[in-house]
């Protein structure tokens, strides 16, 4: 079973990033995040894209690169295609660094071939893996209610379903008409004004390259339902109150205030679900001043719950971040499992916490899709 | 006294004019081709159903060729619904407009009429007159062969001289033609030298047939190319090393086309040829400005070079090209001029579609220069932050400049399929559609109507005046002889 450590202060996550005015297309709202100073010593793995050189070493110093698992290219020595095992951190000139990768066989349908020499694995592998592995081992104490299968194999195999960005209505259009800001290093994706995903990279050039790949990401079914059912969302239009404006400089000040007001409103209200979420963090790898981690939420039913992966610098600021909003069902399952685990998988104790009896809890476990874990009674 | 209905009519006509100037039924940045076509179809049906006279009158304005052809087609399709009086005036308008349209458009229109099964007496008469006015029908027979053939068939016309008929319907049945161009075409089947005496588009097919190397072909056909063909092929010619042969006099190009050409060049080449390109753009702009040169006082322009000015794959960089052309034109029209790009770029020649559209901020910068006229060239999407431009313009008009010392005009090169109009920035600012920067002086006239200070009577008078001018055109060309 995986262990999760304590979180860095979540409010520090977005330090150094400024919120810019949102752009709306149908039910999709994209909020650009701009970095005043790009992070130059952590860049995308240059071997990932065979296009224009993404990485330029401004100064001869230490240099790290990260490899989002969704970007796959020929990086095995002999030029055959391979997919990386999750997001990785690599050090030094990337050509010499071996990348943990799995060779791909084209007859399997798990990877999408995008071009002659480009293949793609589903993204957010690392974080989803973390979520799926949650209490994977099943009951730790062999209470009599648990079936033999549950004791022997745990929750194996555990599967979660998600929608590809391309299947989320309007998202592809919204991304293609989106106007990228100068210095933009990230974006927050809202569907029907519910935060669906956050995406941050170290450098604007990385962002420019990765912007179109947002449609290849995973989105939960909640996000998909919102996008399908909701009418277009309204723009937050600027509004200037006339009195007190006597000169052009007054007008300019009023205009600047509009921008600041939006930034404050967004950061404290719209993004609150993610920023204020209590999460448990697990460190995956540490290199120089950067740490690659993944995080899980507290599983609060009926609230935003985001899982994700992040590369943080020494001050706890996110230089790379990718989140996935869990759907209501996934939250409920996660919540159930975490409560069960907290009570050492004792059904009656857990039921007592919820204020229901054991049978009702068993019913709940069954509807959550874990029916096979329980011993069938005659 | 104007009735409410008159005001609505005037409004509808202006909306339609904006659409007819900008919309081409092609994909735009924010809407696909299907939506564009559907929206435009509705507008045409609506105008024809409600204001037939005004609908026909729009033919006299600087609308684009796509919409001119659509209007002609719809008028001919519904001939039966028009009164005798209407038919007469429509006939003159249509004939006037057909004379202005490029021939390939007219042949395309005839083809559409044929496909739609429109073959009334009026259509046949128009077709006959237009063909009779063509300066060289033998040339058309070679260059637009299937178009001419179908037109003749559709109108039940027999070409006057027997040779043309044979050429169109059984071309290789003769051993010799007396008309030189027909004879050249016949010889081009067997003889490479004859290929170079044909128009470029026809010769290209023969070159492929004879397997003539591209570089040799381009060099020898260069004198037969039209200006736009030469401009289009410059880059290919350069790659093949025959650039000198296909050289075009850039200063003689139409302004907006030239701007589009400049934007198609890589930045490094633009820097290298800076003097040549700037000179050409200035010369073209000066030609357009003509007598109005230097009469507009202090002008400041806010020009949109945000990412959406890229347009779409089929209208590549069109909005940006219009903005760039406007930049040079306004510079020629003004005494003192300042052009501000939304991206903050200083040099117009290096314009490139990138970034968001902080129009509000840029308008503030523009107002600080205290201009007599503020011209905004933008697709109407204002997103950093949204709606700030409208607010700035509103507060400026109501609080800071109620006496209207500064006149503000918004020119929009993009048709918005959802609103059946070009997108407006603010209700207080007149918006006009623009397709070619060349039309800007005329558009600013129309924009005054859009401000709601004039009604239907003035608008009708304006359309009539334009119609007079249009009808005078074919008589002029007839008197002047060949093109």
């Amino acid at each position: 079973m995986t262990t999760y450590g304590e979180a860095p202060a979540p409010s520090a996550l977005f330090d150094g990033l400024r919120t810019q005015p949102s752009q709306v297309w149908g039910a999709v709202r994209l909020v650009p995040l701009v970095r005043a100073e790009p992070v130059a010593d952590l860049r995308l793995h240059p071997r990932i894209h065979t296009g224009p050189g993404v990485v330029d070493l401004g100064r001869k110093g230490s240099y790290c690169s990260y490899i989002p698992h969704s970007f796959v290219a020929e990086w095995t020595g002999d030029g055959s295609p391979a997919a990386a095992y999750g997001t990785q951190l690599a050090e030094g000139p990337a050509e010499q660094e071996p990348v943990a990768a799995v060779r791909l066989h084209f007859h399997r349908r798990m990877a999408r071939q995008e071009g002659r020499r480009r293949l793609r694995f589903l993204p957010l592998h690392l974080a989803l893996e973390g979520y799926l592995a949650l209490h994977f081992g099943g009951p730790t104490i062999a209470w009599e209610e648990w079936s033999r299968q549950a004791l022997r194999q745990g929750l194996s195999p555990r599967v979660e379903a998600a929608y590809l960005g391309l299947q989320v209505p309007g998202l592809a259009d919204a991304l293609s008409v989106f106007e990228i800001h100068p210095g933009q290093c990230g974006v927050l994706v809202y569907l029907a004004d519910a935060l669906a995903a956050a995406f941050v990279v170290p450098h604007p050039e990385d962002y420019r390259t990765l912007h179109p790949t947002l449609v290849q990401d995973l989105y939960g079914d909640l996000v998909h339902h919102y996008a399908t059912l909701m009418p277009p969302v309204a723009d937050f239009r600027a509004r200037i109150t006339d009195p007190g404006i006597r000169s052009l400089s007054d007008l300019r000040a009023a205009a600047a205030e509009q921008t600041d007001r939006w930034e404050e409103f967004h950061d404290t209200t719209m993004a609150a679900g993610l920023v204020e979420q209590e999460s448990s963090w697990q460190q995956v790898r540490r290199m120089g001043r950067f740490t690659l981690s993944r995080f899980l939420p507290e599983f609060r039913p009926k609230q935003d719950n985001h899982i994700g992966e992040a590369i943080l610098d020494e001050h706890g600021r996110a230089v790379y971040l990718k989140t996935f909003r869990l759907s209501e069902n996934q939250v409920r399952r996660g919540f159930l499992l975490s409560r069960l685990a907290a009570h050492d998988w004792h059904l009656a104790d857990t039921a007592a916490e919820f204020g229901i009896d054991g049978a009702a809890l068993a019913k709940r476990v069954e509807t959550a899709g874990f029916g096979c874990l329980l011993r069938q009674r005659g | 006294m104007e009735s409410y209905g008159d005001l609505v009519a005037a409004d509808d006509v202006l909306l339609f004019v904006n659409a007819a100037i900008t919309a081409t039924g092609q994909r735009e940045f924010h809407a696909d081709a299907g939506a564009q076509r559907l929206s435009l179809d509705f507008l045409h049906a609506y105008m024809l159903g409600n204001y037939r006279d005004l609908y026909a009158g729009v033919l006299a304005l600087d609308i684009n060729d796509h919409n001119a052809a659509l209007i002609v087609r719809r008028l001919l399709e519904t001939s039966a619904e028009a009164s005798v009086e209407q038919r007469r005036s429509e006939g003159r308008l249509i004939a006037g407009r057909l004379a202005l349209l490029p021939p390939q458009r007219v042949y395309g229109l005839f083809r559409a009429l044929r496909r739609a099964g429109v073959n009334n007496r009026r259509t046949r008469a128009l077709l006959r007159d237009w063909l009779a006015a063509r300066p060289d029908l033998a040339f058309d027979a070679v260059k637009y062969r299937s178009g001419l053939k179908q037109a003749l068939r559709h109108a039940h016309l027999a070409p006057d001289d027997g040779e043309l008929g044979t050429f169109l319907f059984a071309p290789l049945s003769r051993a010799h033609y007396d008309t030189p161009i027909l004879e050249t075409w016949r010889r081009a089947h067997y003889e490479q030298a004859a290929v170079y005496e044909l128009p470029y588009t026809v010769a290209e097919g023969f070159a492929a047939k004879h397997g003539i190397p591209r570089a040799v072909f381009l060099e020898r056909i260069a004198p037969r190319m039209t200006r736009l063909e030469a401009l289009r092929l410059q880059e290919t010619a350069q790659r093949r090393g025959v650039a000198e042969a296909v050289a075009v006099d850039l200063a003689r190009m139409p302004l907006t086309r030239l701007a589009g050409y400049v934007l198609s060049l890589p930045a490094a080449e633009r820097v290298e040829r800076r003097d040549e390109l700037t000179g050409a753009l200035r010369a073209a702009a000066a030609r357009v400005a003509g007598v109005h040169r230097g009469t507009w006082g202090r002008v400041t322009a806010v020009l949109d070079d945000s990412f959406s000015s890229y347009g779409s794959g089929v209208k590549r960089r069109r909005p940006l090209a219009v903005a760039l052309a406007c930049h040079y034109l306004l510079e020629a029209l003004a005494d003192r001029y300042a052009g501000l790009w939304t991206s903050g770029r200083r040099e117009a020649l290096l314009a490139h579609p990138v970034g968001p559209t902080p129009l509000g901020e840029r308008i503030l910068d523009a107002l600080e220069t205290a201009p007599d006229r503020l011209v905004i060239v933008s697709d109407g999407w204002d997103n950093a932050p949204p709606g700030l431009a409208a607010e700035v313009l509103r507060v400026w008009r109501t609080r800071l400049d109620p006496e209207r010392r500064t006149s503000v005009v918004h020119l929009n090169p993009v048709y918005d399929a959802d609103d059946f109009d070009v997108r407006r920035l603010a209700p207080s600012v007149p918006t006009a559609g623009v397709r070619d920067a060349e039309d800007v002086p005329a558009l600013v006239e129309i924009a005054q109507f859009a401000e709601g200070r004039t009604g239907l009577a003035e608008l009708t008078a304006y359309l009539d005046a334009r119609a007079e001018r249009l009808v005078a055109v074919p008589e002029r060309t007839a008197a002047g002889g060949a093109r």
Side-chain angles (χ1 to χ4, degrees):
Chain A
M1 213 172 87
T2 22
T3 48
Y4 281 83
E6 262 319 292
S11 52
L13 211 57
F14 290 106
D15 275 2
L17 287 166
R18 284 208 59 171
T19 310
Q20 297 293 312
S22 65
Q23 293 176 30
V24 168
W25 186 255
V28 186
R29 179 191 304 281
L30 297 172
V31 178
L33 299 172
V34 169
R35 224 185 265 286
E37 274 179 53
V39 177
D41 54 348
L42 180 82
R43 292 296 303 278
L44 199 65
H45 196 297
R47 265 186 296 170
I48 287 158
H49 301 279
T50 42
V54 178
V55 176
D56 61 301
L57 272 177
R59 56 196 170 81
K60 296 260 183 232
S62 68
Y63 166 89
C64 305
S65 63
Y66 74 99
I67 302 156
H69 53 270
S70 54
F71 304 102
V72 181
E74 39 145 8
W75 59 36
T76 47
D78 57 357
S80 63
Y85 283 122
T87 302
Q88 293 170 39
L89 278 171
E91 200 167 17
E95 280 74 26
Q96 292 122 43
E97 187 82 5
V99 175
V102 58
R103 273 166 194 269
L104 290 172
H105 304 279
F106 294 116
H107 56 268
R108 277 201 221 141
R109 303 302 293 264
M110 51 194 293
R112 290 168 79 84
Q113 186 168 11
E114 292 216 305
R116 204 161 57 82
R117 291 166 65 183
R118 250 175 89 144
L119 246 112
R120 177 184 303 288
F121 227 51
L122 281 182
L124 264 180
H125 189 80
L126 184 70
L128 263 189
E129 185 187 272
Y131 169 72
L132 286 173
L134 174 77
H135 311 303
F136 200 74
T140 43
I141 297 173
W143 306 107
E144 56 169 12
E145 292 92 341
W146 301 106
S147 69
R148 193 168 298 181
Q149 192 214 331
L151 295 176
R152 202 175 295 146
Q153 292 171 0
L155 282 166
S156 176
R158 227 189 121 191
V159 189
E160 289 294 340
Y163 285 92
L164 192 65
L166 282 170
Q167 294 167 321
V168 177
L171 183 64
D173 289 340
L175 287 170
S176 73
V177 300
F178 179 78
E179 298 182 332
I180 297 175
H181 284 249
Q184 183 172 349
C185 288
V187 73
L188 297 175
V189 181
Y190 290 86
L191 281 152
D193 279 342
L195 181 58
F199 178 50
V200 174
V201 294
H203 199 279
E205 283 181 18
D206 289 354
Y207 185 82
R208 204 164 280 278
T209 330
L210 299 184
H211 173 77
T213 64
L214 278 164
V215 291
Q216 302 285 350
D217 280 352
L218 296 176
Y219 297 89
D221 52 5
L222 180 88
V223 170
H224 182 263
H225 291 339
Y226 278 0
T228 314
L229 300 175
M230 286 299 283
V233 292
D235 243 340
F236 289 100
R237 294 184 74 81
R239 202 143 288 293
I240 296 173
T241 41
D242 298 17
I245 291 180
R246 283 191 192 79
S247 68
L248 214 49
S249 56
D250 288 349
L251 186 56
R252 192 179 282 277
E257 195 200 324
Q258 285 296 308
T259 319
D260 295 344
R261 283 250 288 275
W262 154 253
E263 189 178 339
E264 194 192 326
F265 165 72
H266 172 267
D267 295 355
T268 55
T269 311
M270 291 196 62
L274 176 63
V275 175
E276 289 164 13
Q277 162 184 291
E278 291 287 328
S279 17
S280 43
W281 288 68
Q282 187 203 17
Q283 237 180 58
V284 178
R285 173 134 195 230
R286 194 183 173 85
M287 184 188 299
R289 65 191 192 99
F290 301 110
T291 325
L292 172 63
S293 324
R294 58 192 179 196
F295 60 89
L296 281 180
E298 290 277 87
F299 296 111
R300 302 157 300 172
K302 300 202 166 66
Q303 288 182 48
D304 301 24
N305 286 276
H306 302 267
I307 60 170
E309 59 193 30
I311 298 175
L312 305 176
D313 68 359
E314 73 273 29
H315 306 294
R317 285 189 297 230
V319 288
Y320 168 75
L321 174 72
K322 197 155 202 152
T323 69
F324 173 84
R325 184 187 176 133
L326 295 174
S327 71
E328 203 54 37
N329 278 331
Q330 288 167 327
V331 174
R332 229 173 280 141
R333 281 203 289 275
F335 179 65
L336 204 57
L337 287 182
S338 60
R339 291 332 297 157
L340 278 170
H343 292 279
D344 287 333
W345 296 80
H346 191 276
L347 268 186
D349 284 2
T350 317
E353 189 199 322
F354 293 147
I356 51 177
D357 64 354
L361 183 65
K363 189 102 192 142
R364 215 156 137 178
V365 171
E366 217 174 301
T367 45
F370 301 135
C372 62
L373 293 182
L374 295 169
R375 174 169 295 176
Q376 301 298 317
R377 297 213 181 113
Chain B
M1 190 62 206
E2 289 217 314
S3 73
Y4 181 66
D6 282 357
L7 286 177
V8 172
D11 231 35
D12 283 350
V13 173
L14 290 170
L15 178 137
F16 179 67
V17 169
N18 277 340
I21 288 171
T22 51
T24 52
Q26 289 165 306
R27 188 150 53 87
E28 294 283 0
F29 189 78
H30 288 103
D32 60 16
Q36 289 269 328
R37 210 164 302 141
L38 200 65
S39 168
L40 198 58
D41 268 357
F42 166 77
L43 265 190
H44 276 270
Y46 175 80
M47 282 298 294
L48 179 63
N50 290 298
Y51 319 103
R52 191 175 174 111
D53 292 337
L54 293 168
Y55 181 64
V58 169
L59 275 178
L61 302 183
D62 301 315
I63 58 172
N64 65 40
D65 295 343
H66 175 75
N67 283 295
L70 273 182
I71 293 177
V72 172
R73 194 180 141 190
R74 291 218 175 224
L75 288 175
L76 292 176
E77 275 172 1
T78 54
S79 282
E81 293 160 24
S83 67
V84 179
E85 186 69 8
Q86 278 175 328
R87 276 188 220 178
R88 187 163 304 132
S89 68
E90 278 172 21
R92 290 171 58 209
L93 277 166
I94 294 175
R97 188 72 204 198
L98 285 187
L100 291 180
L101 281 178
Q104 68 273 23
R105 284 266 182 201
V106 182
Y107 283 118
L109 171 69
F110 291 160
R111 203 170 290 149
L113 286 169
R114 180 182 155 89
R115 228 178 289 129
V118 180
N119 197 12
N120 44 45
R121 202 150 56 99
R122 198 165 153 230
T123 307
R124 288 204 299 275
L126 273 168
L127 234 154
R128 183 194 63 220
D129 291 350
W130 186 79
L131 286 174
R134 292 298 294 156
D136 184 357
L137 216 50
F139 178 87
D140 277 21
V142 170
K143 188 162 178 177
Y144 311 106
R145 192 151 145 252
S146 71
L148 179 60
K149 196 160 96 178
Q150 288 187 17
L152 290 175
R153 242 190 213 147
H154 190 52
H156 313 306
L157 291 172
D160 315 333
D161 72 275
E163 213 167 43
L164 201 61
T166 323
F167 175 78
L168 285 171
F169 295 101
L172 290 176
S173 64
R174 274 198 178 208
H176 178 78
Y177 286 103
D178 291 331
T179 320
I181 189 157
L182 302 185
E183 175 62 10
T184 312
W185 182 86
R186 195 192 59 78
R187 277 195 298 129
H189 281 84
Y190 317 107
E191 188 187 329
Q192 290 202 8
V195 169
Y196 303 108
E197 292 163 39
L198 291 170
Y200 166 74
T201 47
V202 183
E204 206 171 29
F206 282 112
K209 180 184 145 100
H210 293 305
I212 301 172
R214 190 75 176 157
V216 176
F217 173 67
L218 282 180
E219 190 168 359
R220 294 195 54 189
I221 199 70
R224 313 284 305 179
M225 285 182 192
T226 65
R227 278 186 315 181
L228 291 177
E229 279 164 357
L231 186 65
R232 196 165 63 227
L233 285 162
Q234 264 224 318
E235 206 181 312
T236 330
Q238 213 156 44
R239 237 180 296 136
R240 312 264 169 185
V242 286
E244 293 76 37
V246 192
V248 268
D249 183 7
L250 287 182
R252 304 213 39 83
M253 286 291 153
L255 179 59
T256 313
R257 293 272 191 169
L258 184 59
Y261 169 72
V262 169
L263 292 175
S264 75
L265 299 173
E269 194 177 338
R270 286 188 233 171
V271 172
E272 204 179 288
R273 296 169 60 185
R274 186 191 310 252
D275 294 338
E276 181 201 351
L277 296 176
T278 315
L281 282 163
R282 291 230 162 94
R287 201 154 11 93
V288 175
V291 288
H292 298 292
R293 197 166 176 180
T295 56
W296 279 28
R298 285 168 302 169
V299 178
T300 301
V302 172
L303 306 157
D304 184 358
D305 62 344
S306 68
F307 179 55
S308 60
S309 70
Y310 168 75
S312 70
V314 284
K315 299 181 84 173
R316 205 170 295 177
R317 290 180 288 259
R318 180 82 203 188
L320 187 58
V322 171
L324 183 64
C326 282
H327 174 81
Y328 284 98
L329 179 60
L330 291 170
E331 188 184 57
L333 286 170
D335 308 325
R336 213 193 66 204
Y337 171 76
L340 304 172
W341 296 88
T342 52
S343 65
R345 191 187 297 276
R346 297 255 169 232
E347 198 171 357
L349 202 62
L350 297 178
H352 173 66
V354 70
T357 321
L359 266 187
E361 210 177 293
R362 214 52 78 222
I363 289 173
L364 278 169
D365 295 343
L367 290 173
E368 240 159 44
T369 62
D372 297 325
R373 278 175 203 257
L374 170 62
V375 181
I376 304 164
V377 185
S378 152
D379 60 6
W381 290 77
D382 167 34
N383 57 24
L388 187 61
E391 283 296 278
V392 167
L393 288 169
R394 180 181 66 80
V395 174
W396 167 258
R397 186 54 87 221
T398 53
R399 308 284 305 184
L400 302 177
D401 183 28
E403 325 70 89
R404 295 175 172 270
R405 277 166 308 175
T406 302
S407 75
V408 185
V409 181
H410 171 210
L411 298 174
N412 190 332
V414 179
Y415 175 64
D416 187 33
D418 294 337
D419 290 345
F420 302 106
D421 197 356
V422 292
R423 227 174 135 91
R424 277 161 203 285
L425 274 182
S428 59
V429 172
T431 300
V434 56
R435 178 166 161 78
D436 285 315
E438 287 87 325
D439 307 331
V440 165
L443 289 173
V444 172
E445 246 176 293
I446 297 183
Q448 286 165 359
F449 290 109
E451 226 170 341
R453 280 189 283 173
T454 37
L456 187 63
E458 284 98 326
L459 187 62
T460 319
Y462 176 71
L463 284 180
D464 286 346
R466 291 297 301 253
E468 296 282 296
R469 251 191 281 170
L470 176 73
V471 174
V473 169
E475 282 149 26
R476 257 208 321 274
T477 44
R483 48 184 188 145

